[in-house]
Amino acid sequence: MRPAGRHALEILARLGYGARGFTYCLVGGLALLAAFGAGGQAGGSRSALLVLLERPFGRALLAAVALGLAAFALWRVVEALSDADGHGRSPKGLATRAGHLLGGGLYGSLGVSLLGVALGRGRGGGAEDQGARDWTAWLLQQPFGQWLVGAVGLGVVAAGAAFVLKGWRGDVTRLLALPVDARPWAVQVGRFGYAARGVTFWIIGGFLVAAALESRSSDVKGLGGALQALRGQPYGWVLLALTAAGLAAFGTFGLVQARYRRIDPPDLGAAGKAVADGALGR
């Protein structure tokens, strides 16, 4: 039997995977409707979740998802610093852990922002990509700023390549304890989802590289901007529909992860020490 602290971390992780899965289902579903001209929107996570405010009990739903995303952020940070998934200290393992740590920060920021909106203490509107443009503008003003932004863009492109490769190789269920009859469809859903997510990372990274080359932060776009860029291409509705379906598949796979992922959380004391050591640079 696991100690209470480890059990609590596992619950937080599962709630987090579920919240992320729900978010991507919503993003993909709304973008799919937009591709076929049936309403919806080709937007990012924030704008998709704000649609909940238009539904009955919308603020409560938004608050629940925001708390789930905050839980996912906490799990990502603990997972990265304590190496709960056993990625190790190889270059690939450290890169994966660094990506999870960065993702934890982004999901935490999104969760806190949306919780403020749900509680009536934050703004619901505003340009969705403005945050990314603001930090890009700040980074461009630093010494070697263009090189730094370009490096970030190339890193995002590399992460997209890793997602596409993961979808192609089909090892998406390696960390899942699935029933035998669920494995075939879960593999296909996960592969499709990771490939679509990789495509959006390529586009986002490409915009960052362009911003670095032109030293212009206004070129930066997030997930919503990436989907809109697809829509603007020849046969864009087809590209948008395929990518949107893939993102919805990634969301569905996230719900599967929430139920069946193998999660081995560290002891809370060890996790706190890992976080402290990471913050102090030890």
Side-chain angles (χ1 to χ4, degrees), residues 28-133:
L30 290 172
L32 196 58
L33 290 174
F36 290 103
Q41 61 183 24
S45 301
R46 180 181 172 83
S47 61
L49 288 170
L50 288 176
V51 171
L52 295 175
L53 293 175
E54 303 170 6
R55 300 292 181 262
F57 307 105
R59 289 191 180 274
L61 288 172
L62 183 61
V65 177
L67 289 172
L69 292 175
F72 187 68
L74 175 62
W75 168 245
R76 274 304 201 216
V77 171
V78 171
E79 175 196 30
L81 295 179
S82 67
D83 196 19
D85 276 345
H87 293 293
R89 294 181 176 273
S90 67
K92 179 182 177 182
L94 289 175
T96 299
R97 291 167 65 183
H100 287 179
L101 189 61
L102 177 60
L106 294 175
Y107 280 111
S109 175
L110 177 62
V112 170
S113 172
L114 291 173
L115 184 60
V117 174
L119 296 176
R121 299 174 183 173
R123 293 180 299 174
E128 187 166 18
D129 298 335
Q130 192 58 49
R133 291 172 184 152

XYZ file of all heavy atoms in Angstrom, residues 28-133:
723
model
N -9.503 20.390 -30.477
C -9.665 19.665 -31.736
C -11.095 19.662 -32.235
O -11.342 19.838 -33.431
N -12.048 19.488 -31.324
C -13.444 19.461 -31.735
C -13.912 20.782 -32.305
O -14.589 20.820 -33.349
N -13.545 21.875 -31.646
C -13.942 23.202 -32.137
C -13.269 23.515 -33.475
O -13.893 24.087 -34.381
C -13.585 24.269 -31.112
C -14.419 24.276 -29.820
C -13.834 25.246 -28.801
C -15.874 24.640 -30.122
N -11.991 23.146 -33.616
C -11.287 23.388 -34.879
C -11.857 22.531 -36.001
O -11.924 22.963 -37.163
C -9.796 23.112 -34.711
N -12.302 21.326 -35.669
C -12.909 20.459 -36.679
C -14.212 21.055 -37.184
O -14.498 21.048 -38.393
C -13.140 19.071 -36.080
C -13.410 17.911 -37.042
C -12.255 17.739 -38.029
C -13.619 16.617 -36.257
N -15.008 21.595 -36.269
C -16.239 22.271 -36.683
C -15.924 23.469 -37.575
O -16.606 23.719 -38.576
C -17.025 22.726 -35.451
C -17.676 21.639 -34.594
C -18.281 22.238 -33.338
C -18.742 20.889 -35.388
N -14.876 24.215 -37.212
C -14.488 25.385 -38.011
C -14.043 24.966 -39.407
O -14.325 25.656 -40.395
C -13.375 26.151 -37.305
N -13.352 23.839 -39.510
C -12.873 23.375 -40.816
C -14.023 23.091 -41.759
O -13.918 23.338 -42.973
C -12.013 22.120 -40.633
N -15.126 22.589 -41.230
C -16.283 22.254 -42.066
C -17.328 23.365 -42.098
O -18.441 23.159 -42.596
C -16.915 20.952 -41.575
C -16.076 19.733 -41.845
C -15.343 19.145 -40.841
C -16.004 19.193 -43.127
C -14.564 18.023 -41.088
C -15.229 18.083 -43.389
C -14.498 17.499 -42.368
N -16.977 24.529 -41.546
C -17.898 25.654 -41.582
C -19.142 25.456 -40.755
O -20.208 25.997 -41.066
N -19.004 24.669 -39.680
C -20.164 24.369 -38.837
C -20.066 25.068 -37.496
O -20.519 24.552 -36.475
C -20.281 22.859 -38.641
N -19.491 26.258 -37.490
C -19.275 26.964 -36.240
C -17.898 26.631 -35.708
O -16.982 26.328 -36.456
N -17.748 26.652 -34.395
C -16.458 26.326 -33.813
C -15.441 27.431 -34.049
O -15.765 28.529 -34.499
N -14.177 27.111 -33.768
C -13.114 28.091 -33.932
C -11.781 27.366 -34.025
O -11.596 26.309 -33.433
C -13.087 29.057 -32.738
C -12.811 28.358 -31.405
C -12.857 29.301 -30.220
O -13.490 30.335 -30.257
N -12.160 28.935 -29.152
N -10.885 27.937 -34.800
C -9.520 27.405 -34.883
C -8.678 28.201 -33.903
O -7.990 29.154 -34.267
C -8.981 27.540 -36.306
N -8.759 27.843 -32.636
C -8.069 28.579 -31.593
C -7.235 27.662 -30.731
O -7.192 26.446 -30.924
N -6.565 28.251 -29.757
C -5.721 27.502 -28.848
C -6.463 27.043 -27.612
O -7.696 27.126 -27.517
N -5.695 26.578 -26.633
C -6.282 26.000 -25.428
C -7.113 27.019 -24.648
O -8.224 26.715 -24.195
C -5.177 25.452 -24.526
O -4.429 24.466 -25.188
N -6.583 28.223 -24.484
C -7.282 29.228 -23.689
C -8.625 29.596 -24.302
O -9.653 29.584 -23.624
C -6.411 30.476 -23.537
C -7.065 31.581 -22.718
C -6.187 32.814 -22.611
N -6.898 33.913 -21.985
C -7.027 34.082 -20.677
N -6.482 33.217 -19.849
N -7.695 35.115 -20.178
N -8.629 29.906 -25.592
C -9.882 30.323 -26.215
C -10.881 29.169 -26.249
O -12.089 29.386 -26.113
C -9.617 30.836 -27.636
O -9.064 29.829 -28.453
N -10.388 27.941 -26.404
C -11.295 26.788 -26.408
C -11.952 26.618 -25.041
O -13.169 26.400 -24.944
C -10.533 25.524 -26.799
N -11.175 26.728 -23.983
C -11.728 26.530 -22.648
C -12.655 27.667 -22.237
O -13.604 27.463 -21.468
C -10.597 26.377 -21.633
C -9.834 25.051 -21.731
C -8.588 25.077 -20.863
C -10.740 23.879 -21.331
N -12.400 28.859 -22.752
C -13.284 29.981 -22.425
C -14.686 29.792 -23.004
O -15.643 30.429 -22.541
C -12.679 31.296 -22.927
C -11.466 31.808 -22.149
C -10.897 33.068 -22.789
C -11.829 32.077 -20.678
N -14.813 28.922 -23.999
C -16.133 28.597 -24.543
C -17.023 27.990 -23.462
O -18.257 28.097 -23.512
C -15.988 27.645 -25.753
C -17.343 27.112 -26.214
C -15.297 28.366 -26.902
N -16.407 27.363 -22.469
C -17.190 26.760 -21.388
C -18.035 27.791 -20.657
O -19.079 27.452 -20.092
C -16.256 26.069 -20.390
C -15.468 24.857 -20.900
C -14.511 24.359 -19.826
C -16.420 23.743 -21.320
N -17.590 29.047 -20.666
C -18.343 30.086 -19.964
C -19.716 30.304 -20.574
O -20.611 30.871 -19.925
C -17.557 31.404 -19.982
C -16.248 31.428 -19.184
C -15.521 32.740 -19.391
C -16.522 31.192 -17.701
N -19.891 29.864 -21.829
C -21.174 30.027 -22.508
C -22.144 28.895 -22.179
O -23.286 28.908 -22.637
C -20.962 30.083 -24.018
C -20.002 31.192 -24.462
C -19.623 31.060 -25.920
O -20.203 30.186 -26.595
O -18.747 31.812 -26.376
N -21.695 27.924 -21.397
C -22.517 26.761 -21.085
C -23.048 26.844 -19.659
O -22.509 27.576 -18.823
C -21.692 25.479 -21.252
C -21.149 25.291 -22.664
C -22.287 25.016 -23.649
N -21.805 24.806 -25.011
C -21.781 25.720 -25.947
N -22.197 26.949 -25.661
N -21.351 25.441 -27.171
N -24.120 26.085 -19.362
C -24.607 26.045 -17.984
C -23.497 25.587 -17.029
O -22.726 24.681 -17.365
C -25.742 25.011 -18.047
C -26.195 25.035 -19.477
C -24.957 25.294 -20.286
N -23.428 26.214 -15.885
C -22.391 25.929 -14.887
C -20.992 26.103 -15.481
O -20.033 25.424 -15.090
C -22.542 24.509 -14.335
C -23.917 24.196 -13.821
C -24.789 23.382 -14.544
C -24.365 24.746 -12.615
C -26.058 23.102 -14.079
C -25.630 24.462 -12.137
C -26.487 23.644 -12.875
N -20.881 27.024 -16.448
C -19.626 27.201 -17.165
C -18.467 27.599 -16.269
O -17.348 27.106 -16.439
N -18.704 28.492 -15.315
C -17.608 28.925 -14.445
C -17.107 27.772 -13.576
O -15.902 27.635 -13.337
C -18.048 30.099 -13.575
C -18.227 31.391 -14.357
C -18.398 32.596 -13.460
N -18.571 33.805 -14.259
C -17.559 34.525 -14.734
N -16.313 34.161 -14.470
N -17.781 35.620 -15.448
N -18.037 26.936 -13.122
C -17.630 25.780 -12.317
C -16.824 24.794 -13.165
O -15.806 24.249 -12.703
C -18.861 25.092 -11.728
N -17.278 24.566 -14.394
C -16.544 23.672 -15.295
C -15.153 24.212 -15.585
O -14.158 23.472 -15.559
C -17.323 23.492 -16.595
C -18.589 22.639 -16.543
C -19.337 22.721 -17.873
C -18.228 21.194 -16.238
N -15.081 25.514 -15.871
C -13.791 26.125 -16.173
C -12.859 26.044 -14.966
O -11.665 25.751 -15.114
C -13.990 27.580 -16.584
C -12.730 28.347 -17.000
C -12.081 27.688 -18.213
C -13.053 29.808 -17.306
N -13.390 26.281 -13.782
C -12.568 26.200 -12.575
C -12.043 24.781 -12.371
O -10.879 24.581 -11.992
C -13.374 26.644 -11.356
N -12.892 23.773 -12.632
C -12.469 22.386 -12.465
C -11.336 22.034 -13.423
O -10.345 21.403 -13.031
C -13.661 21.448 -12.678
N -11.474 22.448 -14.684
C -10.425 22.158 -15.661
C -9.150 22.929 -15.315
O -8.037 22.403 -15.422
C -10.887 22.511 -17.083
C -9.759 22.272 -18.093
C -12.097 21.681 -17.470
N -9.296 24.188 -14.882
C -8.133 24.990 -14.504
C -7.373 24.340 -13.353
O -6.132 24.282 -13.362
C -8.579 26.402 -14.118
N -8.090 23.841 -12.359
C -7.445 23.151 -11.246
C -6.756 21.879 -11.727
O -5.673 21.523 -11.248
C -8.466 22.834 -10.156
C -8.990 24.037 -9.361
C -10.140 23.623 -8.451
C -7.870 24.667 -8.536
N -7.397 21.192 -12.672
C -6.778 19.998 -13.242
C -5.489 20.314 -13.969
O -4.494 19.581 -13.868
N -5.470 21.412 -14.721
C -4.252 21.810 -15.425
C -3.159 22.217 -14.435
O -1.972 21.940 -14.663
C -4.560 22.972 -16.378
C -5.453 22.614 -17.580
C -5.793 23.868 -18.372
C -4.772 21.593 -18.485
N -3.549 22.862 -13.343
C -2.575 23.201 -12.313
C -2.003 21.938 -11.678
O -0.803 21.859 -11.381
C -3.223 24.095 -11.253
N -2.865 20.936 -11.482
C -2.396 19.653 -10.951
C -1.417 18.994 -11.919
O -0.403 18.422 -11.504
C -3.589 18.730 -10.688
N -1.724 19.087 -13.217
C -0.830 18.519 -14.218
C 0.518 19.238 -14.206
O 1.578 18.612 -14.340
C -1.466 18.611 -15.602
C -0.678 17.905 -16.675
C -0.571 16.521 -16.671
C -0.060 18.619 -17.682
C 0.154 15.861 -17.653
C 0.666 17.975 -18.673
C 0.773 16.582 -18.659
N 0.476 20.558 -14.049
C 1.710 21.342 -13.978
C 2.567 20.890 -12.795
O 3.779 20.703 -12.926
C 1.379 22.826 -13.863
N 1.930 20.710 -11.641
C 2.663 20.270 -10.463
C 3.283 18.902 -10.693
O 4.451 18.664 -10.364
C 1.724 20.230 -9.256
C 2.324 19.679 -7.951
C 3.480 20.551 -7.498
C 1.251 19.601 -6.863
N 2.514 17.993 -11.294
C 3.039 16.661 -11.557
C 4.208 16.713 -12.530
O 5.214 16.024 -12.351
C 1.940 15.750 -12.102
C 2.504 14.469 -12.659
C 2.484 14.054 -13.956
C 3.191 13.452 -11.931
N 3.120 12.848 -14.086
C 3.568 12.457 -12.858
C 3.543 13.300 -10.597
C 4.263 11.306 -12.479
C 4.247 12.155 -10.206
C 4.593 11.179 -11.143
N 4.119 17.540 -13.569
C 5.196 17.654 -14.544
C 6.489 18.129 -13.879
O 7.580 17.644 -14.184
C 4.807 18.610 -15.664
C 4.011 17.995 -16.814
C 4.741 16.838 -17.422
N 4.285 16.563 -18.776
C 4.186 15.346 -19.286
N 4.498 14.298 -18.541
N 3.792 15.154 -20.518
N 6.366 19.101 -12.977
C 7.547 19.617 -12.293
C 8.164 18.530 -11.410
O 9.376 18.294 -11.438
C 7.187 20.863 -11.458
C 8.353 21.279 -10.567
C 6.789 22.021 -12.383
N 7.326 17.860 -10.619
C 7.824 16.788 -9.748
C 8.421 15.664 -10.582
O 9.506 15.143 -10.279
C 6.686 16.261 -8.851
C 7.126 15.010 -8.101
C 6.237 17.339 -7.864
N 7.718 15.293 -11.641
C 8.182 14.214 -12.513
C 9.540 14.549 -13.123
O 10.454 13.704 -13.166
C 7.156 13.997 -13.627
C 7.568 12.982 -14.675
C 6.732 13.094 -15.925
O 6.264 14.212 -16.238
O 6.560 12.075 -16.591
N 9.698 15.790 -13.587
C 10.948 16.182 -14.240
C 12.106 16.228 -13.254
O 13.204 15.739 -13.540
C 10.768 17.547 -14.914
N 11.886 16.820 -12.072
C 12.972 17.005 -11.117
C 13.340 15.723 -10.384
O 14.499 15.522 -10.027
C 12.610 18.100 -10.115
C 12.453 19.504 -10.709
C 12.060 20.504 -9.627
C 13.739 19.958 -11.393
N 12.358 14.850 -10.155
C 12.636 13.600 -9.442
C 12.889 12.435 -10.391
O 13.253 11.345 -9.951
C 11.462 13.255 -8.522
O 10.305 12.934 -9.277
N 12.685 12.661 -11.702
C 12.829 11.615 -12.718
C 11.934 10.415 -12.399
O 12.368 9.256 -12.425
C 14.280 11.172 -12.860
C 14.524 10.385 -14.150
O 13.685 10.499 -15.069
O 15.533 9.659 -14.237
N 10.676 10.714 -12.086
C 9.732 9.659 -11.716
C 9.506 8.650 -12.840
O 9.194 7.488 -12.581
C 8.390 10.282 -11.309
N 9.669 9.071 -14.095
C 9.461 8.170 -15.222
C 10.740 7.479 -15.683
O 10.733 6.740 -16.666
C 8.842 8.929 -16.413
C 7.330 9.022 -16.299
O 6.752 8.278 -15.481
O 6.722 9.837 -17.008
N 11.845 7.741 -14.991
C 13.086 7.045 -15.295
C 13.715 7.403 -16.629
O 14.278 6.538 -17.304
N 13.661 8.678 -17.011
C 14.295 9.090 -18.268
C 15.818 9.131 -18.155
O 16.523 9.054 -19.162
C 13.771 10.468 -18.697
C 12.336 10.467 -19.072
N 11.849 9.812 -20.188
C 11.248 11.040 -18.469
C 10.540 9.988 -20.268
N 10.147 10.719 -19.241
N 16.336 9.277 -16.944
C 17.773 9.243 -16.736
C 18.453 10.564 -17.046
O 17.814 11.600 -17.236
N 19.772 10.498 -17.107
C 20.579 11.698 -17.309
C 21.303 11.701 -18.651
O 22.269 12.452 -18.836
C 21.595 11.833 -16.174
C 20.946 12.095 -14.827
C 21.990 12.254 -13.727
N 21.379 12.590 -12.447
C 21.097 13.828 -12.049
N 21.386 14.846 -12.841
N 20.542 14.057 -10.880
N 20.873 10.865 -19.572
C 21.421 10.918 -20.927
C 20.959 12.218 -21.586
O 20.009 12.857 -21.115
C 20.926 9.720 -21.741
O 19.518 9.810 -21.951
N 21.620 12.652 -22.669
C 21.159 13.878 -23.342
C 19.682 13.835 -23.708
O 18.956 14.813 -23.523
C 22.058 13.948 -24.584
C 23.321 13.263 -24.162
C 22.880 12.139 -23.256
N 19.225 12.679 -24.215
C 17.806 12.554 -24.573
C 16.926 12.627 -23.331
O 15.892 13.300 -23.321
C 17.570 11.232 -25.301
C 16.112 11.001 -25.688
C 15.923 9.660 -26.370
C 14.448 9.416 -26.695
N 14.236 8.082 -27.332
N 17.350 11.947 -22.259
C 16.562 11.961 -21.034
C 16.478 13.336 -20.412
O 15.416 13.765 -19.975
N 17.612 14.041 -20.386
C 17.611 15.392 -19.820
C 16.775 16.348 -20.664
O 16.092 17.228 -20.129
C 19.052 15.906 -19.713
C 19.918 15.235 -18.635
C 21.356 15.736 -18.719
C 19.353 15.500 -17.231
N 16.820 16.175 -21.989
C 16.007 17.021 -22.864
C 14.519 16.768 -22.621
O 13.715 17.715 -22.578
C 16.360 16.763 -24.327
N 14.160 15.495 -22.453
C 12.754 15.161 -22.180
C 12.306 15.760 -20.856
O 11.228 16.355 -20.751
C 12.574 13.639 -22.144
O 12.935 13.089 -23.420
C 11.126 13.263 -21.833
N 13.136 15.634 -19.846
C 12.793 16.179 -18.532
C 12.710 17.700 -18.565
O 11.822 18.298 -17.941
C 13.809 15.708 -17.501
C 13.732 14.209 -17.209
C 14.929 13.713 -16.429
N 14.978 14.306 -15.094
C 15.979 14.074 -14.227
N 16.987 13.281 -14.584
N 15.949 14.635 -13.036
N 13.606 18.330 -19.313
C 13.551 19.788 -19.441
C 12.271 20.218 -20.148
O 11.643 21.220 -19.772
C 14.774 20.296 -20.212
N 11.875 19.461 -21.170
C 10.624 19.759 -21.864
C 9.423 19.628 -20.945
O 8.499 20.454 -20.981
N 9.441 18.599 -20.085
C 8.345 18.422 -19.138
C 8.322 19.557 -18.110
O 7.255 20.011 -17.704
C 8.480 17.076 -18.424
C 8.150 15.913 -19.303
N 8.219 14.602 -18.880
C 7.752 15.860 -20.603
C 7.875 13.794 -19.865
N 7.588 14.541 -20.920
N 9.513 20.004 -17.699
C 9.582 21.102 -16.743
C 9.030 22.389 -17.355
O 8.246 23.110 -16.722
C 11.035 21.303 -16.315
C 11.291 22.276 -15.154
C 10.597 21.804 -13.887
C 12.784 22.418 -14.918
N 9.419 22.661 -18.597
C 8.895 23.840 -19.286
C 7.388 23.719 -19.493
O 6.640 24.681 -19.276
C 9.597 24.000 -20.637
C 9.114 25.157 -21.521
C 9.298 26.488 -20.818
C 9.853 25.148 -22.863
N 6.947 22.532 -19.896
C 5.516 22.318 -20.072
C 4.746 22.523 -18.778
O 3.643 23.074 -18.774
N 5.343 22.095 -17.659
C 4.704 22.314 -16.368
C 4.491 23.787 -16.084
O 3.433 24.194 -15.604
N 5.496 24.593 -16.414
C 5.351 26.036 -16.225
C 4.247 26.619 -17.085
O 3.453 27.453 -16.615
N 4.175 26.174 -18.339
C 3.155 26.704 -19.247
C 1.754 26.285 -18.820
O 0.818 27.100 -18.824
C 3.439 26.223 -20.670
C 4.731 26.759 -21.301
C 4.964 26.107 -22.667
C 4.674 28.271 -21.436
N 1.596 25.016 -18.443
C 0.278 24.553 -18.003
C -0.118 25.217 -16.689
O -1.295 25.529 -16.456
C 0.255 23.035 -17.858
C 0.091 22.303 -19.160
C 1.122 21.550 -19.707
C -1.108 22.376 -19.867
C 0.973 20.886 -20.909
C -1.269 21.718 -21.069
C -0.221 20.968 -21.595
O -0.378 20.323 -22.795
N 0.867 25.437 -15.809
C 0.569 26.120 -14.557
C 0.089 27.539 -14.789
O -0.874 27.995 -14.165
N 0.756 28.240 -15.693
C 0.356 29.614 -16.015
C -1.042 29.640 -16.607
O -1.873 30.493 -16.243
C 1.364 30.210 -17.001
O 0.954 31.493 -17.425
N -1.327 28.688 -17.513
C -2.655 28.624 -18.120
C -3.718 28.320 -17.069
O -4.787 28.950 -17.050
C -2.672 27.558 -19.218
C -4.018 27.302 -19.907
C -4.498 28.554 -20.626
C -3.902 26.127 -20.894
N -3.417 27.354 -16.191
C -4.386 26.987 -15.164
C -4.699 28.132 -14.226
O -5.870 28.397 -13.908
N -3.663 28.843 -13.771
C -3.871 29.966 -12.859
C -4.669 31.079 -13.544
O -5.582 31.672 -12.958
C -2.510 30.502 -12.363
C -2.690 31.826 -11.618
C -1.851 29.481 -11.445
N -4.320 31.355 -14.806
C -5.025 32.401 -15.552
C -6.506 32.063 -15.707
O -7.383 32.911 -15.482
C -4.377 32.582 -16.917
O -5.129 33.453 -17.731
N -6.797 30.824 -16.071
C -8.192 30.424 -16.281
C -8.962 30.344 -14.970
O -10.166 30.627 -14.935
C -8.241 29.077 -17.002
C -7.778 29.101 -18.463
C -7.708 27.691 -19.018
C -8.723 29.948 -19.303
N -8.280 29.984 -13.904
C -8.950 29.964 -12.596
C -9.360 31.375 -12.203
O -10.449 31.588 -11.658
C -8.024 29.360 -11.543
C -8.633 29.179 -10.152
C -9.856 28.258 -10.208
C -7.595 28.618 -9.184
N -8.503 32.356 -12.505
C -8.853 33.739 -12.238
C -10.088 34.168 -13.011
O -10.965 34.862 -12.471
N -10.176 33.749 -14.276
C -11.353 34.081 -15.082
C -12.598 33.420 -14.484
O -13.666 34.039 -14.372
C -11.155 33.623 -16.539
C -12.443 33.836 -17.345
C -10.006 34.381 -17.189
N -12.458 32.154 -14.095
C -13.606 31.428 -13.535
C -14.110 32.075 -12.252
O -15.318 32.075 -11.977
C -13.215 29.974 -13.271
N -13.194 32.654 -11.488
C -13.574 33.300 -10.223
C -13.947 34.761 -10.409
O -14.202 35.474 -9.438
C -12.421 33.181 -9.216
C -12.054 31.757 -8.785
C -10.834 31.774 -7.869
C -13.236 31.076 -8.105
N -13.948 35.205 -11.670
C -14.311 36.579 -11.951
C -13.227 37.583 -11.644
O -13.496 38.781 -11.501
N -11.975 37.118 -11.553
C -10.870 38.006 -11.197
C -9.869 38.174 -12.325
O -8.794 38.716 -12.127
C -10.144 37.458 -9.966
C -11.020 37.351 -8.738
C -10.303 36.677 -7.594
N -11.164 36.521 -6.429
C -10.822 35.846 -5.344
N -9.627 35.275 -5.273
N -11.665 35.741 -4.336
N -10.198 37.690 -13.503
C -9.284 37.793 -14.625
C -10.039 38.158 -15.881
O -11.280 38.164 -15.921
N -9.295 38.464 -16.922
C -9.899 38.862 -18.194
C -10.090 37.640 -19.072
O -9.203 36.813 -19.223
C -9.013 39.879 -18.900
C -8.918 41.216 -18.175
C -8.019 42.168 -18.922
N -6.664 41.645 -19.036
C -5.706 42.222 -19.746
N -5.954 43.329 -20.425
N -4.497 41.698 -19.792
N -11.250 37.556 -19.690
C -11.510 36.442 -20.581
C -11.030 36.692 -21.989
O -10.727 35.768 -22.721
N -10.978 37.964 -22.398
C -10.616 38.264 -23.780
C -9.127 38.487 -23.939
O -8.307 38.053 -23.152
N -8.780 39.181 -25.029
C -7.380 39.480 -25.287
C -6.807 38.553 -26.329
O -7.315 37.466 -26.566
N -5.726 38.991 -26.953
C -5.070 38.179 -27.972
C -4.450 36.949 -27.331
O -3.679 37.039 -26.375
C -4.008 39.005 -28.689
N -4.779 35.780 -27.880
C -4.335 34.532 -27.260
C -2.825 34.360 -27.341
O -2.208 33.782 -26.459
C -5.027 33.345 -27.936
C -4.747 32.040 -27.245
C -5.682 30.946 -27.700
O -6.299 31.108 -28.768
O -5.790 29.937 -26.998
N -2.219 34.847 -28.410
C -0.783 34.678 -28.598
C 0.029 35.813 -27.987
O 1.260 35.835 -28.131
C -0.463 34.589 -30.100
C -1.121 33.386 -30.759
O -1.392 32.410 -30.040
O -1.358 33.435 -31.977
N -0.627 36.751 -27.296
C 0.078 37.929 -26.822
C 1.169 37.590 -25.815
O 2.238 38.213 -25.804
C -0.908 38.926 -26.206
C -0.302 40.306 -25.944
C 0.245 40.941 -27.218
O -0.437 40.976 -28.240
N 1.480 41.428 -27.148
N 0.909 36.616 -24.959
C 1.916 36.234 -23.979
C 3.199 35.758 -24.636
O 4.303 36.146 -24.233
N 3.052 34.918 -25.674
C 4.228 34.425 -26.392
C 4.953 35.573 -27.091
O 6.191 35.615 -27.127
C 3.811 33.364 -27.408
N 4.198 36.524 -27.623
C 4.824 37.671 -28.285
C 5.543 38.558 -27.277
O 6.614 39.094 -27.573
C 3.763 38.480 -29.034
C 3.193 37.756 -30.242
C 2.024 38.479 -30.838
N 1.447 37.719 -31.937
C 0.180 37.779 -32.304
N -0.658 38.579 -31.661
N -0.272 37.050 -33.310
